[in-house]
Amino acid sequence: MKQKTKIFKIILLVVVIAIMVAVTIYLIPTFKELSSEAGQQAFKQKVNDSGFVGFLMLFGLQFAQIFLVFLPGEPLEILAGMCYGAVGGMLFIFFSVALTTTVIYLLVRKFGKELIYDSFGKEKIEKIENSKAFQNPKNLEFIFAICFAIVGTPKDLLTYLGALFPIKPIRFIAIATFCRFPSIISSTIVGQYFSQGNWEVSIIVYLITFAITFLMIWLVKIFDKDKITQNALKELK
């Protein structure tokens, strides 16, 4: 099973790289002209011309990003915002994350911890499982919700961990999807304004996102007197 998992990941990686190279080559001429009105219109036209194929390409990249764990997720969220706007991009990411999380949850439940040892390390997974922060079933959903909501946490690792703990599948998938809202909406907004050549708004959105993140961390420190969530965040690093 371990060998089959490695082969599957290698094949998926090759496919992803091929898709990313193709998408990059396809969009480079447009990216260079995004600061001009003509360039913006050309970009929107290419997206419209791609239609469902463009949707499938983005979904494939999003699926692979979560499954392969080391591919950055934010550029794909920004790209979704560029293609479908802030709200449309957010809905696209929610859909793809929910579907991908469901697949990963079922795979981990079927094949067990061995499926994720290669990606994250056996010692790290066992350390998280045995930590006090993740031992109390009553705190699990709250901890996962906060960790997914805070920008910068390892959300791919969290996605895989869900199947190892006593959380109902539907509840975990909902948490893993919708608690990403702060990161997703900020990235898709940036993508929308980036496609319009409006760099000022993109910078402001990122500054607001960082401010909200620091506020959330500060509030957690104040109200989490037992430091349960703080310890969980440390275990995930």
Side-chain angles (χ1 to χ4, degrees), residues 150-168:
I150 294 177
V151 177
T153 54
K155 294 177 177 55
D156 298 331
L157 170 57
L158 288 167
T159 301
Y160 279 88
L161 286 175
L164 303 180
F165 294 97
I167 303 178
K168 293 181 179 180

Side-chain angles (χ1 to χ4, degrees), residues 86-102:
V87 176
M90 179 187 68
L91 294 176
F92 167 81
I93 296 296
F94 278 160
F95 168 77
S96 56
V97 167
L99 189 55
T100 305
T101 300
T102 301

Side-chain angles (χ1 to χ4, degrees), residues 1-46:
M1 193 276 294
K2 203 170 184 179
Q3 187 64 28
K4 289 182 179 179
T5 301
K6 289 183 178 180
I7 294 174
F8 177 70
K9 286 187 176 182
I10 291 173
I11 294 173
L12 185 58
L13 177 59
V14 172
V15 172
V16 168
I17 292 175
I19 292 174
M20 291 182 73
V21 170
V23 171
T24 301
I25 294 174
Y26 180 68
L27 294 178
I28 279 177
T30 305
F31 285 152
K32 291 180 179 180
E33 303 296 332
L34 281 176
S35 58
S36 67
E37 184 176 351
Q40 294 161 19
Q41 293 302 320
F43 177 80
K44 292 179 181 179
Q45 188 61 47
K46 279 198 173 183

Side-chain angles (χ1 to χ4, degrees), residues 38-63:
Q40 294 161 19
Q41 293 302 320
F43 177 80
K44 292 179 181 179
Q45 188 61 47
K46 279 198 173 183
V47 171
N48 291 334
D49 290 343
S50 297
F52 188 65
V53 174
F55 177 89
L56 290 178
M57 285 194 297
L58 274 179
F59 176 76
L61 292 176
Q62 180 70 30
F63 178 88

Side-chain angles (χ1 to χ4, degrees), residues 23 62 66 81 87 90 112 114 126 138 144 170 172 176 181 191-192 194 202 234:
V23 171
Q62 180 70 30
I66 296 177
V87 176
M90 179 187 68
E114 294 291 336
E126 291 181 344
K138 295 181 180 180
F144 273 102
I170 294 178
F172 175 75
F181 176 80
Q192 176 178 317
F194 175 77
S202 297
K234 289 180 181 178

